[in-house]
Amino acid sequence: MVLALLQNRIRNFLRELGELAEITGEAVASIRHRRPSWKDFIAQLHFVGVKSQSVVITTGAATGMVLCAQTYFQFHKVKMDTATGAVVSVGMSSELGPVLACLMLTARVGAAMAAELGTMKVTEQIDALRTLATHPVDYLVVPRLIACTVAAPLLTAEAVVVGITASWLVGVHLLGIDSAYYLANMNRYTSPEDILTGLIKSTLFGAAIAMVGCYKGLTCRGGAEGVGRATTEAVVSSSITILVANFFLTLFLTRLFKV
Amino acid sequence: MIEVRNVTKRFGTQEVLKGASLRIDRGEAVVIIGRSGGGKSVLLKHLVALLQPDSGQVLVDGQNLCALTERELLRVRRKFGMLFQGAALFDSLTVFENVAFVLERERTHTPAEIKRLVAEALEWVELPGIENKKPAELSGGMRKRVGLARAIVYRPEILLYDEPTTGLDPVAGANIDGLIRRVWEKLNVTSIAVTHDMPSARRISNRILMLRDGVIYADGPTNDILSSTDPVVNHFVNGIPSGKTTF
């Protein structure tokens, strides 16, 4: 019984993975061989990039401040207060910036994509698209994929800058760390590779958010309940994808940059 | 010409189509009738390859749709226009953008031409001047008419209607039927509708197919089917409950 259930789960997981790979392949082929619509891309870029500003800035600032405070509290015990800036900078650039900014994007953008496309599916709008001689991947997936892939690294960079600035304010003006040492250690220990790592990660995470959100929406079944389920699954799957992929990307990119 | 050969379709354990076959020639106005949940809409969606059969073939002008990829099907679907049960207008677009959708995607018309063609299509469905409204601002009947305008604006050869009068009051339903009839007569299209609304079937068809138990049970000119003495057909078209005797 348990074995059968497990087998069923694994089979479903592999089937979904295969379908996701198929839609991703179709989207990449569409980008390569067809002319994506600028109008649709700009609309999506506005939705993903511009309208996510407040959530990303808040996330970046809150993360930078709390990371600064916690690091300071521990480092202060061993008289390493001035290394706080370096820890915040490296942590925000390569790990916390991309992961937390993209998790917030998942909640805001991935969920919206799954809900919008899911509603279109259950109200036959996707079928209508197909009868109007339009491939749903060309019209719905490609603009969202490009917009998320472009917007995610930009939003991450914004979150990192805001986070580091907020940490400097907390560290220097609230906790009393010397500004010159704070900035000097930050510059000394933060390498271009750390920043590049964060940008590469967030680019891949952005693509994953768009593809998982669109896939869950396009394969939604049932009415309102199905749309709700697709939205939840999109957020859960994208979040897990980001967290798991982050670990492997950290290992891979660290080795790559060492070479 | 559309030909369906021994099409079967199963959803889970439920076999909806059990070897349905039919042939519709160019220029016909056909209605497929049958009980609710009997597979009429499923059959209609097979005609435009929105669903693929488990077995059997669907041929449009001799081309087997089951053998084509989704991208190849896009070219074939250009021959079709479809009015969905709930109209399926794109919520995020205005009426103009909905009706102009195909024309703008094809990039073969100038903006001025598109504007003129959309205005013409909206005139056809007797809704001029509503280009800037959103679908949410329209009534059910208006949504269906805009859906029809979207389906005819690019002059398809075959028009499919999925329950065109469902959810409308009798007057609005009769208006839609009038439009369907006028489009068939004036635009020289093949018209295929599914419905269980008998007055509507009488108004918009010159041939009726009856789907029962997953196969085409009856096929003939509209008047012959509506006056059929076959008990199954007679009970259905006259709305006589099954298992009850007639008085």
Side-chain angles (χ1 to χ4, degrees), chain B residues 26-72:
Chain B
R26 191 177 293 271
E28 283 195 283
V30 175
V31 161
I32 302 169
I33 60 172
R35 297 188 66 164
S36 298
K40 303 186 297 296
S41 296
V42 170
L43 180 58
L44 192 75
K45 286 184 176 178
H46 276 86
L47 303 184
V48 68
L50 291 178
L51 290 172
Q52 290 289 347
D54 296 334
S55 67
Q57 290 183 327
V58 178
L59 295 106
V60 174
D61 294 334
Q63 198 167 20
N64 182 11
L65 302 192
C66 312
L68 302 179
T69 64
E70 183 66 21
R71 290 230 174 258
E72 290 168 336

CSV table of all heavy atoms in Angstrom, one decimal, chain B residues 26-72:
chain,number,residue,atom,x,y,z
B,26,ARG,N,-18.8,21.0,-47.3
B,26,ARG,CA,-18.6,22.4,-47.3
B,26,ARG,C,-20.0,23.1,-47.5
B,26,ARG,O,-20.8,22.7,-48.3
B,26,ARG,CB,-17.7,22.8,-48.4
B,26,ARG,CG,-17.2,24.2,-48.5
B,26,ARG,CD,-16.2,24.4,-49.6
B,26,ARG,NE,-15.0,23.7,-49.4
B,26,ARG,CZ,-13.9,24.1,-48.7
B,26,ARG,NH1,-14.0,25.4,-48.2
B,26,ARG,NH2,-12.8,23.4,-48.5
B,27,GLY,N,-20.2,24.1,-46.7
B,27,GLY,CA,-21.4,25.0,-46.9
B,27,GLY,C,-22.6,24.5,-46.1
B,27,GLY,O,-23.7,25.1,-46.1
B,28,GLU,N,-22.5,23.3,-45.4
B,28,GLU,CA,-23.6,22.8,-44.7
B,28,GLU,C,-23.8,23.6,-43.4
B,28,GLU,O,-22.9,24.2,-42.9
B,28,GLU,CB,-23.4,21.3,-44.3
B,28,GLU,CG,-23.7,20.4,-45.5
B,28,GLU,CD,-23.8,19.0,-45.0
B,28,GLU,OE1,-22.7,18.4,-44.7
B,28,GLU,OE2,-24.9,18.4,-44.9
B,29,ALA,N,-25.1,23.6,-42.9
B,29,ALA,CA,-25.3,24.1,-41.5
B,29,ALA,C,-25.8,23.0,-40.7
B,29,ALA,O,-27.0,22.6,-40.8
B,29,ALA,CB,-26.4,25.2,-41.6
B,30,VAL,N,-25.0,22.5,-39.9
B,30,VAL,CA,-25.2,21.2,-39.1
B,30,VAL,C,-25.4,21.5,-37.6
B,30,VAL,O,-24.6,22.3,-37.1
B,30,VAL,CB,-24.1,20.2,-39.4
B,30,VAL,CG1,-24.3,18.9,-38.5
B,30,VAL,CG2,-24.0,19.8,-40.8
B,31,VAL,N,-26.3,20.8,-37.0
B,31,VAL,CA,-26.4,20.9,-35.5
B,31,VAL,C,-26.2,19.5,-35.0
B,31,VAL,O,-26.8,18.6,-35.5
B,31,VAL,CB,-27.7,21.5,-35.1
B,31,VAL,CG1,-28.0,21.2,-33.6
B,31,VAL,CG2,-27.7,23.0,-35.2
B,32,ILE,N,-25.4,19.4,-34.0
B,32,ILE,CA,-25.3,18.1,-33.3
B,32,ILE,C,-26.1,18.2,-32.0
B,32,ILE,O,-25.8,19.1,-31.2
B,32,ILE,CB,-23.8,17.8,-33.0
B,32,ILE,CG1,-23.0,17.7,-34.3
B,32,ILE,CG2,-23.7,16.4,-32.2
B,32,ILE,CD1,-21.5,17.7,-34.1
B,33,ILE,N,-27.1,17.3,-31.9
B,33,ILE,CA,-27.9,17.4,-30.6
B,33,ILE,C,-27.6,16.1,-29.8
B,33,ILE,O,-27.0,15.1,-30.3
B,33,ILE,CB,-29.4,17.4,-31.0
B,33,ILE,CG1,-29.9,16.2,-31.8
B,33,ILE,CG2,-29.8,18.7,-31.7
B,33,ILE,CD1,-31.4,16.1,-32.0
B,34,GLY,N,-28.0,16.1,-28.6
B,34,GLY,CA,-27.8,15.0,-27.7
B,34,GLY,C,-28.0,15.5,-26.3
B,34,GLY,O,-28.1,16.7,-26.0
B,35,ARG,N,-28.0,14.5,-25.3
B,35,ARG,CA,-28.3,14.9,-23.9
B,35,ARG,C,-27.1,15.6,-23.3
B,35,ARG,O,-26.0,15.4,-23.8
B,35,ARG,CB,-28.6,13.6,-23.1
B,35,ARG,CG,-29.9,12.9,-23.6
B,35,ARG,CD,-30.2,11.8,-22.7
B,35,ARG,NE,-30.6,12.3,-21.4
B,35,ARG,CZ,-31.3,11.6,-20.5
B,35,ARG,NH1,-31.7,10.4,-20.8
B,35,ARG,NH2,-31.6,12.1,-19.4
B,36,SER,N,-27.4,16.4,-22.3
B,36,SER,CA,-26.3,17.1,-21.6
B,36,SER,C,-25.3,16.0,-21.0
B,36,SER,O,-25.7,15.0,-20.5
B,36,SER,CB,-26.8,17.9,-20.4
B,36,SER,OG,-27.7,18.8,-20.9
B,37,GLY,N,-24.0,16.3,-21.2
B,37,GLY,CA,-23.0,15.4,-20.7
B,37,GLY,C,-22.8,14.2,-21.6
B,37,GLY,O,-22.1,13.2,-21.3
B,38,GLY,N,-23.4,14.2,-22.8
B,38,GLY,CA,-23.4,13.1,-23.7
B,38,GLY,C,-22.2,13.1,-24.7
B,38,GLY,O,-22.0,12.1,-25.5
B,39,GLY,N,-21.4,14.1,-24.6
B,39,GLY,CA,-20.2,14.1,-25.4
B,39,GLY,C,-20.2,15.0,-26.7
B,39,GLY,O,-19.3,15.0,-27.5
B,40,LYS,N,-21.3,15.9,-26.8
B,40,LYS,CA,-21.4,16.8,-27.9
B,40,LYS,C,-20.2,17.7,-28.0
B,40,LYS,O,-19.6,17.9,-29.1
B,40,LYS,CB,-22.7,17.6,-27.9
B,40,LYS,CG,-23.9,16.8,-27.8
B,40,LYS,CD,-25.2,17.7,-27.8
B,40,LYS,CE,-25.3,18.7,-26.7
B,40,LYS,NZ,-25.5,18.1,-25.4
B,41,SER,N,-19.9,18.4,-26.9
B,41,SER,CA,-18.8,19.4,-26.9
B,41,SER,C,-17.5,18.7,-27.1
B,41,SER,O,-16.6,19.2,-27.8
B,41,SER,CB,-18.8,20.2,-25.6
B,41,SER,OG,-20.0,21.0,-25.5
B,42,VAL,N,-17.4,17.5,-26.6
B,42,VAL,CA,-16.1,16.7,-26.8
B,42,VAL,C,-15.9,16.4,-28.3
B,42,VAL,O,-14.8,16.6,-28.8
B,42,VAL,CB,-16.2,15.4,-25.9
B,42,VAL,CG1,-15.0,14.5,-26.3
B,42,VAL,CG2,-16.1,15.7,-24.5
B,43,LEU,N,-17.0,16.0,-28.9
B,43,LEU,CA,-17.0,15.8,-30.4
B,43,LEU,C,-16.6,17.0,-31.1
B,43,LEU,O,-15.8,17.0,-32.0
B,43,LEU,CB,-18.3,15.2,-30.8
B,43,LEU,CG,-18.4,14.8,-32.3
B,43,LEU,CD1,-17.4,13.8,-32.7
B,43,LEU,CD2,-19.8,14.3,-32.6
B,44,LEU,N,-17.2,18.1,-30.8
B,44,LEU,CA,-16.9,19.4,-31.4
B,44,LEU,C,-15.5,19.8,-31.3
B,44,LEU,O,-14.8,20.2,-32.3
B,44,LEU,CB,-17.8,20.5,-30.9
B,44,LEU,CG,-17.9,21.8,-31.6
B,44,LEU,CD1,-18.7,21.7,-32.9
B,44,LEU,CD2,-18.4,23.0,-30.8
B,45,LYS,N,-14.9,19.6,-30.1
B,45,LYS,CA,-13.5,19.9,-29.9
B,45,LYS,C,-12.6,19.0,-30.6
B,45,LYS,O,-11.5,19.4,-31.0
B,45,LYS,CB,-13.2,19.9,-28.4
B,45,LYS,CG,-13.8,21.1,-27.6
B,45,LYS,CD,-13.4,21.1,-26.2
B,45,LYS,CE,-14.0,22.4,-25.5
B,45,LYS,NZ,-13.8,22.5,-24.1
B,46,HIS,N,-13.0,17.8,-31.0
B,46,HIS,CA,-12.2,17.0,-31.8
B,46,HIS,C,-12.1,17.5,-33.2
B,46,HIS,O,-11.1,17.3,-33.9
B,46,HIS,CB,-12.8,15.5,-31.8
B,46,HIS,CG,-12.4,14.7,-30.7
B,46,HIS,ND1,-13.0,14.7,-29.5
B,46,HIS,CD2,-11.3,13.8,-30.5
B,46,HIS,CE1,-12.4,13.9,-28.7
B,46,HIS,NE2,-11.4,13.3,-29.3
B,47,LEU,N,-13.2,18.2,-33.7
B,47,LEU,CA,-13.2,18.7,-35.1
B,47,LEU,C,-12.1,19.7,-35.3
B,47,LEU,O,-11.6,19.9,-36.4
B,47,LEU,CB,-14.5,19.3,-35.4
B,47,LEU,CG,-15.8,18.4,-35.3
B,47,LEU,CD1,-17.0,19.1,-35.7
B,47,LEU,CD2,-15.6,17.1,-36.0
B,48,VAL,N,-11.7,20.4,-34.2
B,48,VAL,CA,-10.7,21.5,-34.4
B,48,VAL,C,-9.4,21.1,-33.6
B,48,VAL,O,-8.5,21.9,-33.4
B,48,VAL,CB,-11.2,22.9,-33.9
B,48,VAL,CG1,-11.5,22.9,-32.4
B,48,VAL,CG2,-10.4,24.0,-34.3
B,49,ALA,N,-9.4,19.8,-33.3
B,49,ALA,CA,-8.2,19.2,-32.6
B,49,ALA,C,-7.8,19.8,-31.3
B,49,ALA,O,-6.7,19.8,-30.9
B,49,ALA,CB,-7.0,19.2,-33.5
B,50,LEU,N,-8.8,20.4,-30.6
B,50,LEU,CA,-8.6,20.8,-29.2
B,50,LEU,C,-8.5,19.6,-28.3
B,50,LEU,O,-7.9,19.7,-27.2
B,50,LEU,CB,-9.7,21.7,-28.7
B,50,LEU,CG,-9.8,23.1,-29.4
B,50,LEU,CD1,-11.0,23.9,-28.9
B,50,LEU,CD2,-8.5,23.9,-29.2
B,51,LEU,N,-9.0,18.5,-28.7
B,51,LEU,CA,-8.9,17.2,-28.1
B,51,LEU,C,-8.4,16.2,-29.1
B,51,LEU,O,-8.8,16.3,-30.3
B,51,LEU,CB,-10.2,16.7,-27.5
B,51,LEU,CG,-10.7,17.5,-26.2
B,51,LEU,CD1,-12.1,17.0,-25.9
B,51,LEU,CD2,-9.8,17.3,-25.1
B,52,GLN,N,-7.6,15.3,-28.7
B,52,GLN,CA,-7.1,14.2,-29.6
B,52,GLN,C,-7.9,12.9,-29.3
B,52,GLN,O,-8.0,12.6,-28.1
B,52,GLN,CB,-5.6,14.0,-29.5
B,52,GLN,CG,-4.8,15.2,-30.1
B,52,GLN,CD,-4.8,15.3,-31.6
B,52,GLN,OE1,-5.3,14.4,-32.3
B,52,GLN,NE2,-4.4,16.4,-32.1
B,53,PRO,N,-8.3,12.2,-30.3
B,53,PRO,CA,-9.0,11.0,-30.0
B,53,PRO,C,-8.1,9.9,-29.5
B,53,PRO,O,-6.9,9.9,-29.8
B,53,PRO,CB,-9.6,10.6,-31.3
B,53,PRO,CG,-8.8,11.2,-32.3
B,53,PRO,CD,-8.2,12.4,-31.7
B,54,ASP,N,-8.7,8.9,-28.7
B,54,ASP,CA,-7.9,7.8,-28.3
B,54,ASP,C,-7.7,6.9,-29.5
B,54,ASP,O,-6.6,6.2,-29.6
B,54,ASP,CB,-8.6,7.0,-27.1
B,54,ASP,CG,-8.7,7.9,-25.9
B,54,ASP,OD1,-7.9,8.8,-25.7
B,54,ASP,OD2,-9.7,7.6,-25.1
B,55,SER,N,-8.7,6.7,-30.3
B,55,SER,CA,-8.5,6.0,-31.6
B,55,SER,C,-9.4,6.7,-32.6
B,55,SER,O,-10.3,7.4,-32.2
B,55,SER,CB,-8.8,4.5,-31.4
B,55,SER,OG,-10.2,4.4,-31.1
B,56,GLY,N,-9.2,6.3,-33.9
B,56,GLY,CA,-10.0,6.9,-34.9
B,56,GLY,C,-9.3,8.1,-35.6
B,56,GLY,O,-8.2,8.5,-35.2
B,57,GLN,N,-9.9,8.7,-36.5
B,57,GLN,CA,-9.3,9.8,-37.3
B,57,GLN,C,-10.3,11.0,-37.4
B,57,GLN,O,-11.5,10.8,-37.5
B,57,GLN,CB,-8.9,9.3,-38.7
B,57,GLN,CG,-7.8,8.4,-38.7
B,57,GLN,CD,-7.4,8.0,-40.2
B,57,GLN,OE1,-8.3,7.9,-41.0
B,57,GLN,NE2,-6.2,7.7,-40.4
B,58,VAL,N,-9.7,12.2,-37.5
B,58,VAL,CA,-10.5,13.4,-37.8
B,58,VAL,C,-9.8,14.0,-39.0
B,58,VAL,O,-8.6,14.4,-39.0
B,58,VAL,CB,-10.5,14.4,-36.7
B,58,VAL,CG1,-11.3,15.7,-37.1
B,58,VAL,CG2,-11.1,13.8,-35.4
B,59,LEU,N,-10.5,14.1,-40.1
B,59,LEU,CA,-9.9,14.7,-41.4
B,59,LEU,C,-10.6,16.0,-41.7
B,59,LEU,O,-11.8,16.1,-41.8
B,59,LEU,CB,-10.1,13.7,-42.5
B,59,LEU,CG,-9.3,12.4,-42.3
B,59,LEU,CD1,-10.2,11.2,-42.0
B,59,LEU,CD2,-8.5,12.0,-43.6
B,60,VAL,N,-9.8,17.0,-42.0
B,60,VAL,CA,-10.3,18.3,-42.5
B,60,VAL,C,-9.7,18.5,-43.9
B,60,VAL,O,-8.4,18.6,-44.0
B,60,VAL,CB,-9.9,19.4,-41.5
B,60,VAL,CG1,-10.3,20.8,-42.1
B,60,VAL,CG2,-10.6,19.2,-40.2
B,61,ASP,N,-10.5,18.6,-44.9
B,61,ASP,CA,-10.0,18.7,-46.3
B,61,ASP,C,-9.0,17.6,-46.6
B,61,ASP,O,-7.9,17.9,-47.2
B,61,ASP,CB,-9.4,20.1,-46.6
B,61,ASP,CG,-10.5,21.2,-46.5
B,61,ASP,OD1,-11.7,20.8,-46.7
B,61,ASP,OD2,-10.2,22.3,-46.2
B,62,GLY,N,-9.2,16.4,-46.1
B,62,GLY,CA,-8.4,15.3,-46.4
B,62,GLY,C,-7.1,15.2,-45.5
B,62,GLY,O,-6.4,14.2,-45.5
B,63,GLN,N,-6.9,16.1,-44.6
B,63,GLN,CA,-5.7,16.1,-43.8
B,63,GLN,C,-6.1,15.6,-42.4
B,63,GLN,O,-7.0,16.0,-41.7
B,63,GLN,CB,-5.2,17.6,-43.6
B,63,GLN,CG,-3.8,17.7,-43.1
B,63,GLN,CD,-3.3,19.1,-43.2
B,63,GLN,OE1,-4.0,20.0,-43.4
B,63,GLN,NE2,-1.9,19.2,-43.2
B,64,ASN,N,-5.3,14.5,-42.0
B,64,ASN,CA,-5.6,13.8,-40.7
B,64,ASN,C,-5.1,14.7,-39.6
B,64,ASN,O,-3.8,14.8,-39.4
B,64,ASN,CB,-5.0,12.4,-40.7
B,64,ASN,CG,-5.3,11.7,-39.5
B,64,ASN,OD1,-6.1,12.1,-38.6
B,64,ASN,ND2,-4.6,10.6,-39.3
B,65,LEU,N,-5.9,15.3,-38.8
B,65,LEU,CA,-5.5,16.2,-37.7
B,65,LEU,C,-4.7,15.4,-36.6
B,65,LEU,O,-3.9,16.0,-35.9
B,65,LEU,CB,-6.7,16.9,-37.1
B,65,LEU,CG,-7.6,17.7,-38.0
B,65,LEU,CD1,-8.5,18.6,-37.1
B,65,LEU,CD2,-6.7,18.6,-38.9
B,66,CYS,N,-5.0,14.1,-36.5
B,66,CYS,CA,-4.4,13.3,-35.4
B,66,CYS,C,-2.9,13.1,-35.7
B,66,CYS,O,-2.1,12.8,-34.7
B,66,CYS,CB,-5.1,12.0,-35.3
B,66,CYS,SG,-6.8,12.1,-35.2
B,67,ALA,N,-2.5,13.3,-36.9
B,67,ALA,CA,-1.0,13.1,-37.2
B,67,ALA,C,-0.2,14.3,-37.2
B,67,ALA,O,1.0,14.3,-37.5
B,67,ALA,CB,-1.0,12.5,-38.6
B,68,LEU,N,-0.8,15.5,-36.8
B,68,LEU,CA,-0.1,16.7,-36.9
B,68,LEU,C,0.3,17.2,-35.5
B,68,LEU,O,-0.3,16.8,-34.5
B,68,LEU,CB,-1.0,17.8,-37.4
B,68,LEU,CG,-1.6,17.6,-38.8
B,68,LEU,CD1,-2.5,18.8,-39.2
B,68,LEU,CD2,-0.5,17.4,-39.9
B,69,THR,N,1.5,17.9,-35.4
B,69,THR,CA,1.9,18.5,-34.2
B,69,THR,C,1.1,19.7,-33.8
B,69,THR,O,0.4,20.2,-34.7
B,69,THR,CB,3.4,18.9,-34.3
B,69,THR,OG1,3.5,20.0,-35.2
B,69,THR,CG2,4.3,17.7,-34.7
B,70,GLU,N,1.2,20.2,-32.6
B,70,GLU,CA,0.4,21.4,-32.2
B,70,GLU,C,0.8,22.5,-33.1
B,70,GLU,O,-0.1,23.3,-33.4
B,70,GLU,CB,0.8,21.7,-30.7
B,70,GLU,CG,0.0,22.8,-30.1
B,70,GLU,CD,-1.5,22.6,-30.0
B,70,GLU,OE1,-2.0,21.4,-30.0
B,70,GLU,OE2,-2.3,23.6,-29.9
B,71,ARG,N,2.0,22.7,-33.5
B,71,ARG,CA,2.4,23.8,-34.3
B,71,ARG,C,1.8,23.7,-35.7
B,71,ARG,O,1.3,24.6,-36.4
B,71,ARG,CB,3.9,24.0,-34.5
B,71,ARG,CG,4.5,24.4,-33.2
B,71,ARG,CD,5.5,25.6,-33.4
B,71,ARG,NE,5.9,26.1,-32.1
B,71,ARG,CZ,5.4,27.1,-31.5
B,71,ARG,NH1,4.5,27.9,-32.1
B,71,ARG,NH2,5.9,27.5,-30.3
B,72,GLU,N,1.8,22.4,-36.3
B,72,GLU,CA,1.2,22.2,-37.6
B,72,GLU,C,-0.3,22.4,-37.6
B,72,GLU,O,-0.9,22.9,-38.5
B,72,GLU,CB,1.5,20.8,-38.0
B,72,GLU,CG,3.0,20.6,-38.4
B,72,GLU,CD,3.4,19.1,-38.5
B,72,GLU,OE1,2.7,18.2,-38.0
B,72,GLU,OE2,4.4,18.8,-39.2
